[in-house]
Amino acid sequence: MNILTFPTNEMLDEAAAGLIASNLQENPFCVLGLATGSTPVGVYSKLAEWNQAGKFSFRNAQTVNLDEYLGLPQDHPQSYYSFMKTKLFRHIDLPGEMAYIPDGSTPDAQEECRRYDRILERNPVQLQLLGLGHNGHIGFNEPDRGLKAGTHIVKLDPQTRQANARFFGSADQVPTHAITMGMAGILKAGTILLVVRGQDKAEIVRRALTGPITTDCPASLLQTHPRLIVMLDQEAGRLLA
Ligand code: GLP
């Protein structure tokens, strides 16, 4: 595992976007695994800026997103589809049909999970960007007695709904379930880039990276990945030796 700590948000954004950009430059046909949440927003602005400046192109790339709320139509302002459109897709030259996100409004969510796993199988992720939930979730793989390998439907933890209440007005309005890529889907990526910011994440960063590997902290499974790169701001990294 390679842990890098940055003194400013701007430097962290540039480093994370730089790694994604170099993957695209080396392999314009690469498949990128993307994440939502507040953490990658600055990374996406940098990528959009550099793409518009012609430093690289997304024209031949593909993206697969980690997760989506169940029950939200794509055009709901808080769907992860809308998030990706607003924060990244609308600003870059990625063809619309090359961006995969689970369909949260599907009438058959089980079939949607199987369809998504087929997409992942056909398009192996070269670089997976991840954020980290306060309870150690990645994607929407919540702490549990057991974790699932494939894409599945998950009941969101009350802590997760509370954390995401800021986008919906109140925790009650946050959907109760989501579709998420499973742990095997995430760990299959060639390289994983975990980005975490803020002192409120320092304890979970410590547990995830230096604690025991346990399903109580799904992110701790990242310790088993042969190519894990962690980019932190100083606050998030303050409990690491
Ligand atoms: C969300 C997403 C995760 C994200 C995490 C942290 O619920 N499903 O993919 O990494 O929570 O979000 P944030 O970056 O806003 O702290």
Side-chain angles (χ1 to χ4, degrees), residues 9 11 36 84 86-87 108 155 157 183 189 192 199 217:
N9 266 315
M11 286 165 85
T36 52
M84 291 308 299
T86 325
K87 305 295 182 203
D108 187 346
K155 184 171 190 300
D157 203 281
M183 292 305 299
I192 293 183
Q199 62 165 8
C217 177

Side-chain angles (χ1 to χ4, degrees), residues 1 207-213 219-226 228:
M1 163 187 343
R207 277 180 59 204
L209 302 182
T210 65
I213 296 171
S220 66
L221 273 80
L222 297 174
Q223 293 178 40
T224 65
H225 196 278
L228 172 64

Side-chain angles (χ1 to χ4, degrees), residues 93-131:
D93 62 351
L94 178 80
E97 69 279 11
M98 298 303 221
Y100 298 105
I101 302 184
D103 178 4
S105 64
T106 173
D108 187 346
Q110 297 291 357
E111 174 47 32
E112 176 59 10
C113 294
R114 290 192 289 273
R115 184 188 75 92
Y116 211 66
D117 278 339
R118 289 194 293 271
I119 291 171
L120 293 172
E121 215 143 280
R122 279 201 309 273
N123 306 288
V125 173
Q126 182 172 323
L127 175 66
Q128 175 69 58
L129 174 63
L130 290 180

Side-chain angles (χ1 to χ4, degrees), residues 1 12 99 167 207 230-231:
M1 163 187 343
L12 175 51
F167 303 113
R207 277 180 59 204
V230 184
M231 295 190 182

Side-chain angles (χ1 to χ4, degrees), residues 39-195:
T39 305
V41 172
V43 180
Y44 292 155
S45 334
K46 275 274 156 240
L47 284 173
E49 182 191 319
W50 292 341
N51 178 230
Q52 285 167 20
K55 294 195 176 174
F56 53 81
S57 170
F58 287 91
R59 217 171 307 122
N60 297 305
Q62 293 183 75
T63 64
V64 287
N65 261 79
L66 286 165
D67 46 16
E68 178 60 284
Y69 289 113
L70 194 58
L72 290 194
Q74 283 187 337
D75 61 358
H76 187 286
Q78 296 310 331
S79 75
Y80 282 167
Y81 179 89
S82 296
F83 175 97
M84 291 308 299
K85 220 167 123 180
T86 325
K87 305 295 182 203
L88 183 67
F89 296 153
R90 165 185 298 168
H91 313 288
I92 62 174
D93 62 351
L94 178 80
E97 69 279 11
M98 298 303 221
Y100 298 105
I101 302 184
D103 178 4
S105 64
T106 173
D108 187 346
Q110 297 291 357
E111 174 47 32
E112 176 59 10
C113 294
R114 290 192 289 273
R115 184 188 75 92
Y116 211 66
D117 278 339
R118 289 194 293 271
I119 291 171
L120 293 172
E121 215 143 280
R122 279 201 309 273
N123 306 288
V125 173
Q126 182 172 323
L127 175 66
Q128 175 69 58
L129 174 63
L130 290 180
L132 178 66
H134 287 95
N135 60 1
H137 76 224
I138 47 177
F140 269 135
N141 291 275
E142 299 280 29
D144 207 337
R145 270 177 307 175
L147 297 174
K148 296 215 168 71
T151 302
H152 60 282
I153 300 158
V154 67
K155 184 171 190 300
L156 297 179
D157 203 281
Q159 196 185 345
T160 302
R161 294 181 71 214
Q162 193 56 54
N164 290 350
R166 63 192 197 277
F167 303 113
F168 286 83
S170 74
D172 292 351
Q173 292 172 57
V174 180
T176 55
H177 290 75
I179 296 180
T180 183
M181 266 166 69
M183 292 305 299
I186 293 173
L187 291 168
K188 243 185 248 168
T191 300
I192 293 183
L193 170 59
L194 175 69
V195 179

